[in-house]
Amino acid sequence: RSVPEAVMAAERPRSLFALSAAAVSRSMAALERDVWALPGHLLRGLLPLLTIFHLERAEDAARRAGLSTQPIWRKLWDDVMKTRPPNSESITCWRKKFLETFFSNVLHGVLDVSSDWRLHDSHFSPLLHSSPHVSQLTLCNMLQGAVELAAEHNHKVLENLAGSLRVLKFQHLLSCDQSIRRSLALLLHRLIHHGSVSQVSMCSWPVPDRVLLVLILTMSAGFWRSGNALAYHSSPCGLCREEDKAQSQESTQEGAERDCNAEQEGSGGENQKRSPKEADACMTSVLSGPRSPPLQSPACEETSSEVPCGHTSIQGGSSPHFSSEHLSCHPVPRKTRRRQKPAVGRKRRCLRQSRGHYADPEDLYDFVFTVAREDNSGLLDKTRTTEGETTENWTSSSPGSPCTGHAACKKRGGPAGLLSLKAAHRFRSVSTLELFSIPLTGETCRTLSNLLSSWVSLENLVLSYNGLNANISCILSGLRALSRHPECRFRVLRVSDMFSHMPCMELVCCILSALPQLHTLSVSFDLKNQLEGSRPEASPSCSQAEIPESRLEVLEIRFPREPLHTAFLLPVLKASKSLQQLSFDSATLPCPQEFGLLLEVLKECTSNLKKLSFHDVNLAEHQKEVLLLLQDPGLQEITFSFCRLFESSTAEFLSEIINTVKRNSSLKSLKLPGNRLGNQRLVALADIFSEDSSSSLCQLDVSSNCIKPDGLLEFTKKLEGHIQQRGGQLPFTHLRLFQNWLDQDAETAQEALRRLKAVCSVVNDAWDSSQAFADYISVM
């Protein structure tokens, strides 16, 4: 039985239209153009009978007929994927969601297209047809997906991904062999260097393969060299070759001769041993490099003569690369190699001379080890970086940077173990890098610091649970060098880890002293260092460093159960005139006098502050300060989450809160989750919207507050009464009710929710309150 017929087998007897639709769906290859011209009422009945390939192609015709395919794609998701996607309420296009997930499942062998007649069609390739809809892709385990995508038969799939893919994720990676790394290099080169990927994320890699990790980091930063690693089935990258041709045509003969003479002088006459044709071809290749200037280190200039054509490439210099001799600053003798046929004519002959020892099939493996090699000869000398430094010194770090005093850096003879980027031309690089749950050794941190120092396209860096400890100073050294670059775009830094090797506020001071241009800074730690009071040896304290005026707009700090050091916080706030959002989590507040001083500084120095949040901060003894915050006319959103507001309060305190909010016309959102409101206090909060109130409160969050169905119903009735008194006018639009005891009386809860939804938007969940009592006791 054919597949459309099987769908309608239960419909007996079938109508003439159903029979015709089934016949048309079987012949879509021949009738497609005629089907798109059908009237809307006929097309509506035909769309559910199409395969996903024809359904995707029917989108324009359906739109012209005033039809939406979204319900069909949603049903496909339920039938095929059989799971509820996270944040399904926010999905705006089920077609894209389905095809993106379909692509990933087929790529990784999770989904069998023969399991449903709607998923396969002899005229279409599943990967090729769904690839234009993929904006986020996750590669995992042994990188089987990367090997498949880099295969020659998926060349068009890769071309589609290069235009559509924005986020590339790596998860649960395992060590792999050279051939897999070579396939990954091809994939990254196409998707990042010649594609549209703007974010690379790596997560859940407990024992990272250093070779693979450095390879991904280096190519994400836009650095790579040409050669065997980027030869696509024995031929160079076509895009690099085209770019080389275009740029070579722009080079003038006069410039070629001038640079060739300079090269001959710098190489000590070595070029004289080559024929004039080969030398001319070599210099043409040099001049046809990318528009981005090469990054060069003075420490390696003296060795440049050892490899006169070392910076040329198979694409005429358009491929950025590190070479072992450039990274280690050691001249490396050439190895003999068997002769190969030239791939691109004369330029290829120059390349063979310049590449020399890279023809080894293990060259990719050798390269990524060389990038992060601990070699004193490859480290930059300590030099003081001035504001007027040139691009040749981008990889240097000033003596005042946090890393210069680190013992590990001193041991290796230079700041942060930074390596030379001598003559390394650059490709396009990503703007966001995220590393989650990947341990970073000191050596890997120095490699990352070296890459960060000139990663001018980087805007966001997320380092989460990497075991950095004192190595954070090494990362800051690279970011400090990056911040001095005139084209630096770096704006967002998020650091979270299990242990903090120094007080949070002191670390914040260090970061802002080094990176005053940051817009968003998030620092989060679970626990203090195992050795209480321990500090890294010879690490300079940032507490006395003056914080320059910053551009900080968002500051989020999660403390490892340590005091909120106002001595460090106040200078940060005074330097952050543009601060709009401030969040404190798990901090121990100082005495009321110091807390009051903090509020005064907030009011005086952060006039642009709009959002203030306290989470898991005990405010039971700070009732006066809570009321002062609620009175602030500048704040639009205030969060007191699990702050024990009413732990030792009286009924008068709740009345004061209600009256304060009623008089504040600027406050738009009040979030009070986890403060043990209960039924009685929830009902009292309805008076915020009474007839005599001038409040503009739109959002109220009362999640995790031990609210029962009868209390919610009483709150609803009181709210309805205030609405009637105000003539139906109420600014209140959103109510959040997560994790309350609404399952204790389902009927009453349903009535309360039904009446509430007529007043505002209600967000709640089907929470099992059987564990609520244990949770309640645990925080008492």
Side-chain angles (χ1 to χ4, degrees):
R1 184 181 295 175
S2 63
V3 281
E5 291 174 352
V7 174
M8 297 180 290
E11 301 178 10
R12 301 292 185 185
R14 288 180 292 170
S15 65
L16 179 60
F17 175 81
L19 290 171
S20 302
V24 169
S25 65
R26 292 194 301 268
S27 307
M28 281 297 295
L31 300 177
E32 182 177 291
R33 184 174 300 179
D34 296 325
V35 169
W36 302 157
L38 289 175
H41 67 282
L42 296 178
L43 194 59
R44 181 185 293 108
L46 183 60
L47 289 176
L49 304 178
L50 302 179
T51 65
I52 60 172
F53 310 104
H54 285 110
L55 181 61
E56 193 273 338
R57 292 163 67 92
E59 194 67 29
D60 291 338
R63 189 180 298 110
R64 289 193 300 268
L67 303 176
S68 173
T69 62
Q70 291 300 304
I72 304 175
W73 289 109
R74 176 59 197 265
K75 187 177 186 305
L76 273 167
W77 178 278
D78 295 337
D79 294 345
V80 176
M81 305 303 174
K82 297 181 173 62
T83 59
R84 181 180 179 182
N87 302 319
S88 58
E89 299 83 4
S90 61
I91 296 177
T92 57
C93 182
W94 280 97
R95 177 183 60 152
K96 181 184 183 302
K97 179 65 177 178
F98 179 88
L99 290 174
E100 187 173 59
T101 307
F102 174 78
F103 178 92
S104 179
N105 289 351
V106 172
L107 178 66
H108 294 100
V110 177
L111 180 62
D112 181 8
V113 295
S114 63
S115 62
D116 193 303
W117 65 267
R118 294 167 292 185
L119 304 182
H120 62 92
D121 189 306
S122 59
H123 298 89
F124 296 93
S125 163
L127 291 180
L128 180 60
H129 193 77
S130 56
S131 56
H133 299 274
V134 179
S135 60
Q136 177 174 306
L137 179 63
T138 300
L139 301 176
C140 53
N141 300 331
M142 294 292 293
L143 294 169
Q144 302 93 329
V147 174
E148 178 66 18
L149 291 175
E152 188 172 10
H153 63 269
N154 281 321
H155 176 69
K156 292 185 178 179
V157 176
L158 197 55
E159 293 297 311
N160 287 341
L161 288 178
S164 65
L165 197 65
R166 298 294 182 270
V167 179
L168 183 59
K169 295 185 177 182
F170 297 91
Q171 187 173 9
H172 305 300
L173 293 186
L174 302 173
S175 298
C176 55
D177 59 25
Q178 174 70 8
S179 63
I180 296 178
R181 289 194 294 268
R182 198 176 298 274
S183 295
L184 178 62
L186 287 169
L187 184 70
L188 295 177
H189 178 64
R190 186 64 186 94
L191 297 182
I192 296 178
H193 300 165
H194 293 300
S196 304
V197 171
S198 59
Q199 175 178 329
V200 168
S201 301
M202 289 182 275
C203 62
S204 301
W205 202 356
V207 185
D209 181 336
R210 179 168 160 248
V211 178
L212 192 57
L213 177 59
V214 171
L215 171 64
I216 297 174
L217 290 175
T218 304
M219 298 196 73
S220 297
F223 286 109
W224 194 236
R225 63 175 182 78
S226 63
N228 288 352
L230 291 184
Y232 191 77
H233 298 284
S234 301
S235 63
C237 171
L239 293 175
C240 291
R241 196 166 54 215
E242 292 175 5
E243 182 180 334
D244 167 49
K245 291 179 181 178
Q247 293 177 349
S248 296
Q249 292 174 358
E250 298 174 1
S251 301
T252 62
Q253 183 64 30
E254 181 181 355
E257 294 175 355
R258 181 173 60 251
D259 286 355
C260 189
N261 292 335
E263 181 71 10
Q264 289 174 351
E265 294 175 3
S267 62
E270 182 177 342
N271 283 342
Q272 296 176 3
K273 299 178 182 180
R274 290 181 292 218
S275 67
K277 292 183 178 181
E278 288 178 333
D280 182 67
C282 180
M283 293 318 302
T284 302
S285 181
V286 172
L287 290 172
S288 59
R291 294 180 178 86
S292 302
L295 302 179
Q296 188 169 335
S297 168
C300 299
E301 287 179 355
E302 61 183 1
T303 64
S304 62
S305 61
E306 299 294 335
V307 189
C309 284
H311 56 294
T312 60
S313 71
I314 200 168
Q315 295 86 11
S318 62
S319 292
H321 59 280
F322 288 85
S323 59
S324 297
E325 65 269 36
H326 291 154
L327 289 167
S328 63
C329 300
H330 274 311
V332 180
R334 299 190 172 130
K335 295 181 181 180
T336 59
R337 55 177 294 193
R338 62 184 179 86
R339 188 173 183 85
Q340 298 178 356
K341 291 184 178 181
V344 286
R346 183 178 301 171
K347 217 177 296 183
R348 178 72 175 183
R349 290 194 292 271
C350 175
L351 173 67
R352 290 202 302 269
Q353 293 185 15
S354 64
R355 287 198 315 182
H357 60 287
Y358 287 125
D360 193 312
E362 294 297 315
D363 58 356
L364 177 61
Y365 183 88
D366 295 337
F367 163 69
V368 287
F369 263 122
T370 307
V371 173
R373 182 190 305 166
E374 290 188 18
D375 189 341
N376 288 343
S377 62
L379 301 175
L380 297 179
D381 295 332
K382 290 183 181 180
T383 55
R384 179 173 298 275
T385 306
T386 63
E387 293 299 326
E389 67 184 331
T390 64
T391 57
E392 295 180 354
N393 294 324
W394 291 347
T395 56
S396 300
S397 178
S398 66
S401 67
C403 194
T404 55
H406 190 250
C409 296
K410 287 184 175 181
K411 179 180 179 181
R412 290 166 175 81
L418 298 181
L419 300 169
S420 171
L421 301 181
K422 164 76 172 172
H425 294 217
R426 303 194 70 162
F427 281 112
R428 177 187 176 276
S429 53
V430 301
S431 60
T432 299
L433 177 65
E434 298 180 344
L435 303 177
F436 297 98
S437 299
I438 301 178
L440 300 180
T441 64
E443 189 173 355
T444 306
C445 287
R446 288 187 290 276
T447 300
L448 178 58
S449 176
N450 193 22
L451 295 173
L452 290 174
S453 65
S454 59
W455 198 332
V456 293
S457 70
L458 189 67
E459 300 176 9
N460 306 279
L461 177 62
V462 179
L463 301 173
S464 181
Y465 294 93
N466 307 117
L468 292 177
N469 292 319
N471 285 323
I472 184 65
S473 60
C474 185
I475 303 297
L476 286 180
S477 178
L479 292 175
R480 184 195 299 269
L482 173 63
S483 67
R484 293 191 174 98
H485 192 280
E487 297 181 6
C488 174
R489 305 176 190 172
F490 189 63
R491 296 295 181 267
V492 179
L493 176 62
R494 300 184 185 276
V495 179
S496 58
D497 220 321
M498 181 67 71
F499 295 105
S500 170
H501 78 290
M502 64 191 303
C504 277
M505 284 312 309
E506 189 171 346
L507 178 60
V508 169
C509 291
C510 285
I511 294 174
L512 290 180
S513 298
L515 308 170
Q517 82 284 4
L518 277 182
H519 287 182
T520 298
L521 173 61
S522 176
V523 176
S524 172
F525 293 99
D526 296 338
L527 302 168
K528 295 181 183 179
N529 201 316
Q530 300 95 319
L531 300 177
E532 183 68 26
S534 64
R535 299 178 62 90
E537 181 182 357
S539 177
S541 174
C542 299
S543 58
Q544 299 179 356
E546 182 178 354
I547 302 177
E549 184 172 346
S550 71
R551 304 176 186 175
L552 197 65
E553 297 178 358
V554 179
L555 176 60
E556 300 172 349
I557 308 174
R558 185 163 69 91
F559 298 82
R561 297 294 178 185
E562 68 181 26
L564 179 66
H565 296 286
T566 53
F568 294 153
L569 178 59
L570 295 182
V572 169
L573 296 178
K574 291 178 181 179
S576 306
K577 306 291 185 182
S578 303
L579 194 64
Q580 299 181 18
Q581 183 173 337
L582 180 61
S583 175
F584 298 113
D585 188 341
S586 304
T588 302
L589 291 180
C591 63
Q593 292 77 12
E594 285 196 38
F595 192 28
L597 176 62
L598 171 61
L599 298 186
E600 290 181 10
V601 173
L602 278 177
K603 188 174 182 179
E604 294 176 4
C605 301
T606 58
S607 57
N608 294 316
L609 190 65
K610 298 293 184 289
K611 297 181 180 180
L612 179 63
S613 174
F614 293 89
H615 175 76
D616 198 13
V617 178
N618 190 351
L619 296 176
E621 305 300 327
H622 298 277
Q623 298 178 11
K624 178 182 177 181
E625 288 75 17
V626 169
L627 294 175
L628 288 175
L629 289 173
L630 292 173
Q631 292 174 6
D632 193 323
L635 292 175
Q636 297 180 2
E637 179 179 309
I638 299 179
T639 300
F640 298 117
S641 175
F642 294 88
C643 290
R644 309 182 186 181
L645 285 182
F646 307 104
E647 185 175 274
S648 59
S649 66
T650 61
E652 287 75 14
F653 178 54
L654 179 61
S655 298
E656 290 176 335
I657 287 180
I658 294 172
N659 292 330
T660 301
V661 176
K662 287 171 65 175
R663 293 191 297 268
N664 189 343
S665 60
S666 62
L667 188 63
K668 306 296 182 184
S669 176
L670 179 60
K671 299 181 180 181
L672 304 171
N675 284 289
R676 306 175 187 173
L677 282 173
N679 286 354
Q680 185 177 357
R681 293 191 181 98
L682 174 67
V683 174
L685 286 178
D687 289 333
I688 293 176
F689 308 101
S690 62
E691 186 178 6
D692 61 340
S693 173
S694 58
S695 172
S696 300
L697 195 67
C698 301
Q699 301 181 22
L700 179 63
D701 188 347
V702 291
S703 301
S704 304
N705 270 298
C706 308
I707 297 170
K708 298 180 180 180
D710 56 339
L712 184 62
L713 181 58
E714 189 176 350
F715 170 81
T716 303
K717 292 178 180 178
K718 195 171 185 180
L719 192 62
E720 290 173 340
H722 291 320
I723 293 176
Q724 290 180 356
Q725 293 174 0
R726 299 178 60 153
Q729 300 295 324
L730 190 68
F732 186 49
T733 58
H734 290 80
L735 177 67
R736 297 175 66 87
L737 287 167
F738 288 111
Q739 296 186 351
N740 281 297
W741 299 356
L742 302 183
D743 61 335
Q744 294 189 356
D745 186 347
E747 185 177 350
T748 303
Q750 289 300 322
E751 180 184 357
L753 291 173
R754 177 181 57 81
R755 296 173 68 168
L756 265 177
K757 290 178 180 178
V759 176
C760 62
S761 174
V762 180
V763 182
N764 67 311
D765 57 355
W767 185 59
D768 181 7
S769 64
S770 60
Q771 297 296 321
F773 183 73
D775 296 339
Y776 179 80
I777 294 297
S778 67
V779 296
M780 289 188 65

